[in-house]
Amino acid sequence: TDRAGWLSNRTSFYVYANSKGVGWKWRLPWALALYRAKRRMSWFESLDASRSLSHQMGFGAKPLQYVVHGSTLGINLENVAFTLKSRDRAMDTRLIAEDLLRSFLTSGGTVKMQTKVLSLERGYVLAQETTDDTLSRFYARHTILAAGKTTSTFDKSVHVFVSPILVVHPALSDINFVKMSPHTQDTINHICHRRNGLEYSVIGNAAYYDVQDFGAESLERARSYMLGLGRKVFGDFDEKGADLFFGYKTEVVSSSFMRNYLYHIVDQGAYTIALPGKFTLCFSLAVNVCRHFGIEPVERVKLKNEEVRHYIEDPTHYRLAKQLALKGNHATDLSNLRSEG
């Protein structure tokens, strides 16, 4: 609903490692994966959204020149097979959260802050207001638990992982890309965020750690590795302008080594767990939670111009970037004072 929109209009790129950058056990399956990626992206790029999609769903040969580029984007990315333009876009998660919350309030929803859930019973929730210890019962036909990383408290089949994310101010590049590799340690993604005059880099990796086994030693190793990975790709930068945080990911435990990115809707008697999985699937999750209870989801809601920002925190990467910018400005001011003195 904002002029800026939920999604950035800046192109992202997928960069794929070649056989030199892949261990010999992976070379044959990786070669097949590269072929499939090219064909799939070429087909997707050739779709015309202004026409009926049903007549364009064949997987015939498509011209690859639409999406294949030899360029390494002017960044030090070693052992590159090819680069593809992506339809993926960076998202303004705060704006999305604000609009979804306004939709909820417009539809008659109520938000309770400073309230601790004591128990989930069939037909109601027992909660305590932390400001004055008042006990309240909230009655509901359906209780849906969407508790993110604390879901494992209610369901032992849910596993919590953390993944390191490096924030660097000022931005190291204005190019958004993902370097794909079957080796998680060699995968890197970079998004340049711009907000309120700040331009900063957010760098992620495919490495992840079980939150139960993750301590101070693991944190320091992850920080050192992410700084090294950033310098390898972007060249040297001042470590004082960088900070690290960890993104939490909840997923249903799998017996295989593969990560489980799907969302899940799990009935637990008195309540139902909605486990989000990959963020881009959250809209499908919302629709299917409704249908899980036999309710057709609302297609259109006229949003009220209600102020909801006080309910929602800024994204962690933005808060860190602001701190780094203030620290940098403070250091510059001190330097100027010394030179003047």
Side-chain angles (χ1 to χ4, degrees), residues 32-204:
L32 178 61
L34 295 183
Y35 174 79
R36 291 180 63 190
K38 281 197 286 190
R39 306 307 297 185
R40 184 171 61 249
M41 294 287 281
S42 299
W43 169 79
F44 197 75
E45 185 73 12
S46 66
L47 288 179
D48 182 356
S50 66
R51 297 190 297 115
S52 169
L53 295 181
S54 59
H55 301 300
Q56 304 178 64
M57 299 305 281
F59 281 84
K62 300 290 181 184
L64 298 181
Q65 68 266 26
Y66 286 118
V67 291
V68 179
H69 304 269
S71 168
T72 56
L73 307 177
I75 301 167
N76 186 27
L77 296 171
E78 298 176 341
N79 301 319
V80 173
F82 53 83
T83 303
L84 303 181
K85 280 194 304 181
S86 168
R87 294 291 182 96
D88 282 355
R89 294 290 183 267
M91 293 171 286
D92 186 336
T93 51
R94 182 183 172 104
L95 186 59
I96 293 173
E98 286 179 8
D99 283 351
L100 292 178
L101 181 52
R102 287 169 59 211
S103 168
F104 174 72
L105 295 173
T106 303
S107 301
T110 302
V111 177
K112 295 292 293 183
M113 305 290 282
Q114 307 297 324
T115 305
K116 180 182 180 181
V117 173
L118 300 179
S119 65
L120 299 167
E121 310 295 340
R122 187 173 293 279
Y124 70 91
V125 175
L126 182 64
Q128 183 180 44
E129 309 264 355
T130 56
T131 50
D132 58 8
D133 292 337
T134 303
L135 290 179
S136 302
R137 287 191 182 193
F138 298 99
Y139 293 92
R141 190 181 309 141
H142 306 292
T143 301
I144 303 163
L145 183 71
K149 64 185 179 184
T150 60
T151 307
S152 55
T153 307
F154 302 87
D155 188 339
K156 299 305 178 188
S157 70
V158 171
H159 222 122
V160 182
F161 297 96
V162 291
S163 189
I165 302 171
L166 187 68
V167 178
V168 184
H169 177 271
L172 301 173
S173 170
D174 64 352
I175 297 172
N176 296 346
F177 70 90
V178 183
K179 166 75 181 295
M180 301 283 197
S181 167
H183 308 301
T184 56
Q185 70 274 15
D186 295 332
T187 300
I188 179 172
N189 57 67
H190 172 269
I191 298 291
C192 174
H193 282 281
R194 294 168 177 150
R195 183 174 174 187
N196 295 338
L198 279 183
E199 186 170 291
Y200 58 97
S201 290
V202 177
I203 301 170

Side-chain angles (χ1 to χ4, degrees), residues 17 21 25 44 81 88 104 123 140-141 176 184 197 233 268 284-285 288 309 321 335:
K25 288 183 179 180
F44 197 75
D88 282 355
F104 174 72
R141 190 181 309 141
N176 296 346
T184 56
V233 173
Q268 291 286 30
S284 301
L285 170 63
N288 286 306
R309 293 186 182 184
S335 177

Side-chain angles (χ1 to χ4, degrees), residues 161-339:
F161 297 96
V162 291
S163 189
I165 302 171
L166 187 68
V167 178
V168 184
H169 177 271
L172 301 173
S173 170
D174 64 352
I175 297 172
N176 296 346
F177 70 90
V178 183
K179 166 75 181 295
M180 301 283 197
S181 167
H183 308 301
T184 56
Q185 70 274 15
D186 295 332
T187 300
I188 179 172
N189 57 67
H190 172 269
I191 298 291
C192 174
H193 282 281
R194 294 168 177 150
R195 183 174 174 187
N196 295 338
L198 279 183
E199 186 170 291
Y200 58 97
S201 290
V202 177
I203 301 170
N205 188 269
Y208 60 92
Y209 307 87
D210 189 322
V211 75
Q212 293 180 329
D213 305 326
F214 192 75
E217 217 174 288
S218 304
L219 189 153
E220 195 50 47
R221 275 202 310 271
R223 177 180 173 81
S224 177
Y225 186 80
M226 290 301 291
L227 285 168
L229 188 63
R231 289 192 172 106
K232 183 179 177 182
V233 173
F234 299 102
D236 199 23
F237 57 87
D238 188 354
E239 191 173 322
K240 293 176 183 174
D243 206 348
L244 194 77
F245 74 98
F246 289 85
Y248 287 84
K249 174 76 173 65
T250 53
E251 53 194 57
V252 173
V253 176
S254 171
S255 58
S256 73
F257 72 96
M258 297 294 287
R259 298 289 303 283
N260 188 339
Y261 289 101
L262 296 176
Y263 63 81
H264 292 268
I265 303 167
V266 185
D267 284 320
Q268 291 286 30
Y271 57 92
T272 297
I273 290 175
L275 195 65
K278 195 173 172 66
F279 182 81
T280 46
L281 297 176
C282 71
F283 304 101
S284 301
L285 170 63
V287 166
N288 286 306
V289 165
C290 289
R291 290 180 175 152
H292 180 77
F293 298 117
I295 301 166
E296 273 303 303
V298 174
E299 292 186 6
R300 289 180 181 273
V301 175
K302 188 173 182 180
L303 301 185
K304 295 177 184 175
N305 290 323
E306 190 158 348
E307 182 53 62
V308 296
R309 293 186 182 184
H310 57 284
Y311 287 122
I312 302 169
E313 282 190 327
D314 283 320
T316 305
H317 53 74
Y318 177 64
R319 298 203 306 270
L320 287 183
K322 282 202 299 185
Q323 291 170 15
L324 292 169
L326 286 171
K327 191 193 302 181
N329 291 338
H330 182 61
T332 303
D333 291 344
L334 286 177
S335 177
N336 289 338
L337 281 172
R338 288 194 193 98
S339 62

